[in-house]
């Protein structure tokens, strides 16, 4: 098990990780998520003893990494697949690591087979593709048959077959009782691989919960209802019945309705009582990507102003719970999470339930502290007055006269 307690790392005036506490338990794949610059790589480096914490501690099985007996047999890690001497073959690279850890040479051939590099084992690694380099890095992590494994972007550069292989490998390792800690920006892959999530932003903990709970806490579930297109009056009758029952209804493009506040069985009963035929009645839950974007939208350091102008960060109006026929407000960011989180600063830590509006900046109550700086509007300059032609210096006037002659 990996355990961090009050983990903090500062580089001069910059705090990369602040008071971070979490546990990574064995027997499950734990995803490590966060925007670029949130402190994920720094945290992993501190776990592996590559960076020394400014304060706090992190242990593996109760010991700091530096005090683990024969650490390569206890912990395997892939942080940088390019950290290989290009002049060495894949087999020689792994053989050197095996000798340092006191492992037999046959283990090298075993892991080369596991990652599928047995046919190129004697080729120099400088000729490897990005995906082949990732496989070699995974082989190095597995070399000591460790109980704790850390992977940073393990599917980077892999083809679909390779991604599926890595996904199954992670699950298999966790099923064997190992501790598997995986950092990735591929939300769709994390949704299929991880069972538990640790999410950080600006170096602080945002969430530590199961994938299911994370999605539920940061999305607005709804039911999609579609009535017969040939019976528009039935749609109106059902809408009135749903609103009367305490539901909120929004019209979707294409004629469907988004319904919140009423469970699916109750919607079916109301449609039956109103003698309305239903063509569709289906539950909808946000994807991990949608939930992640809502959670971390205030912790992004690098945001394109072009995206904002194109409206790519506008809110999902259906996540706000506006009534039927209402016009969603314009110019907002991503929809607010179902359970908000406070902005950093002013004594409020990340990951604490917000009171009231958790993102007042997005609804115009106050300026958004995370919005990209806008160019200042300079006052319009007064119209220029016609000026007299400048008098040329004496030497230039003399030279021009000589050229004319």
């Amino acid at each position: 098990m990996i355990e961090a307690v009050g983990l903090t790392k500062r580089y001069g005036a910059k705090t990369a990780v602040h008071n971070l506490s979490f546990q990574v338990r064995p027997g499950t794949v734990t995803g490590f998520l966060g925007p670029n610059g949130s402190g994920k790589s720094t945290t992993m480096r501190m776990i592996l003893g590559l960076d020394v914490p400014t304060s706090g501690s992190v242990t593996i099985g109760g010991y700091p990494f530096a005090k683990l007996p024969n650490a390569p047999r206890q912990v395997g890690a892939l942080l940088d697949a390019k950290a290989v001497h290009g002049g060495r073959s894949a087999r020689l690279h792994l053989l050197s690591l095996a000798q340092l850890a006191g492992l037999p040479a046959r283990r090298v051939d075993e892991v080369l087979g596991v990652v599928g590099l047995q046919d190129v084992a004697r080729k120099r690694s400088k000729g490897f593709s990005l995906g082949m380099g990732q496989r070699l890095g995974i082989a190095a992590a597995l070399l000591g048959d460790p109980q704790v494994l850390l992977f940073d972007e393990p599917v980077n550069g892999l083809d679909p077959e390779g991604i599926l292989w890595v996904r199954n490998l992670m699950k298999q390792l966790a099923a064997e009782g190992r501790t598997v800690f995986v950092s990735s920006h591929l939300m769709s892959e994390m949704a299929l691989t991880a069972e538990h999530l640790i999410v950080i932003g600006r170096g602080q903990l945002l969430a530590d919960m199961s994938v299911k709970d994370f999605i539920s806490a940061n999305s607005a579930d709804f039911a999609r209802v579609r009535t017969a297109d040939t019976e528009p009056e039935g749609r109106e009758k059902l809408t009135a019945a749903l609103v009367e029952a305490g539901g909120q209804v929004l019209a979707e493009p294409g004629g469907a309705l988004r319904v919140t506040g009423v469970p699916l069985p109750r919607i079916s009963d109301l449609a039956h009582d109103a003698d309305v035929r239903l063509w569709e009645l289906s539950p909808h839950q946000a994807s991990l990507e949608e939930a992640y974007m809502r959670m971390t939208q205030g912790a992004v350091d690098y945001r394109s102003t072009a995206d904002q102008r194109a409206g790519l960060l506008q809110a999902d109006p259906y996540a706000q719970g506006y009534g039927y026929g209402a016009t969603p407000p314009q110019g907002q960011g991503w929809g607010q999470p179902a359970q908000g989180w406070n902005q950093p600063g002013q004594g409020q830590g990340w990951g604490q339930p917000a009171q009231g509006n958790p993102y007042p900046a997005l609804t115009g109550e106050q300026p958004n502290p995370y919005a990209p700086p806008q160019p200042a509007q300079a006052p319009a300059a007064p119209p220029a007055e016609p000026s007299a032609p400048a008098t040329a210096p004496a030497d230039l006037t003399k030279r021009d006269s000589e050229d004319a002659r």
Side-chain angles (χ1 to χ4, degrees), residues 20-270:
L20 191 59
S21 298
F22 61 85
Q23 290 182 342
V24 184
R25 300 183 181 277
T28 185
V29 178
T30 301
F32 193 29
L33 308 181
N36 286 335
S38 60
K40 299 191 304 298
S41 295
T42 300
T43 300
M44 284 190 156
R45 289 179 60 84
M46 286 191 287
I47 293 173
L48 297 171
L50 299 174
D51 281 346
V52 179
T54 303
S55 62
S57 64
V58 57
T59 58
I60 300 174
Y63 297 93
F65 183 87
K67 295 184 178 180
L68 285 174
N70 202 345
R73 295 197 179 198
Q74 303 288 330
V75 183
L78 167 64
L79 296 189
D80 183 5
K82 296 180 180 179
V84 180
H85 192 293
R88 286 182 177 176
S89 67
R91 190 175 189 282
L92 284 179
H93 169 67
L94 295 177
L95 188 59
S96 64
L97 297 178
Q99 290 174 344
L100 289 173
L103 298 170
R106 67 174 181 274
R107 180 59 183 167
V108 172
D109 297 319
E110 289 175 2
V111 295
L112 283 170
V114 169
V115 301
L117 293 180
Q118 62 273 22
D119 293 338
V120 294
R122 300 190 182 277
K123 290 187 177 181
R124 293 185 179 183
S125 60
K126 66 180 179 181
F128 281 9
S129 66
L130 181 59
M132 293 168 67
Q134 288 292 111
R135 288 176 179 266
L136 182 57
I138 293 173
L142 298 175
L143 194 59
D145 197 22
Q147 287 298 307
V148 177
L149 291 138
L150 292 84
F151 298 98
D152 190 4
E153 300 290 351
V155 299
N156 188 26
L158 293 177
D159 57 16
E161 186 277 333
I163 292 174
L164 177 61
W165 166 73
V166 169
R167 184 194 311 159
N168 292 334
L169 174 65
M170 301 294 168
K171 292 182 176 181
Q172 177 186 344
L173 293 170
E176 294 172 357
R178 304 175 199 256
T179 301
V180 183
F181 196 34
V182 186
S183 171
S184 179
H185 289 298
L186 297 179
M187 296 297 109
S188 59
E189 191 55 35
M190 279 291 95
L192 296 172
T193 305
E195 301 173 54
H196 196 89
L197 294 177
I198 293 173
V199 185
I200 65 174
R202 301 186 188 276
Q204 301 185 21
L205 186 67
L206 297 182
D208 183 351
M209 61 184 71
S210 69
V211 174
K212 181 180 179 180
D213 290 344
F214 179 81
I215 294 175
S216 178
N218 294 282
S219 63
D221 298 344
F222 64 89
R224 178 172 283 113
V225 182
R226 191 184 302 275
T227 61
D229 294 339
T230 57
E231 302 173 2
E233 66 280 0
R235 183 170 179 266
E236 298 300 328
K237 287 172 59 178
L238 180 59
T239 297
L242 290 169
V243 172
E244 185 178 354
Q248 295 174 324
V249 185
L250 278 171
E252 283 188 337
L257 300 174
R258 287 194 181 193
V259 182
T260 58
V262 182
L264 263 70
R266 179 61 175 156
I267 295 174
S268 178
D269 291 341
L270 291 171

Side-chain angles (χ1 to χ4, degrees), residues 7-10 15-20 38-39 42-43 46 203-204:
L7 199 59
T8 299
K9 180 62 178 180
R10 298 187 183 90
T15 300
V17 176
H18 176 67
N19 196 29
L20 191 59
S38 60
T42 300
T43 300
M46 286 191 287
Q204 301 185 21

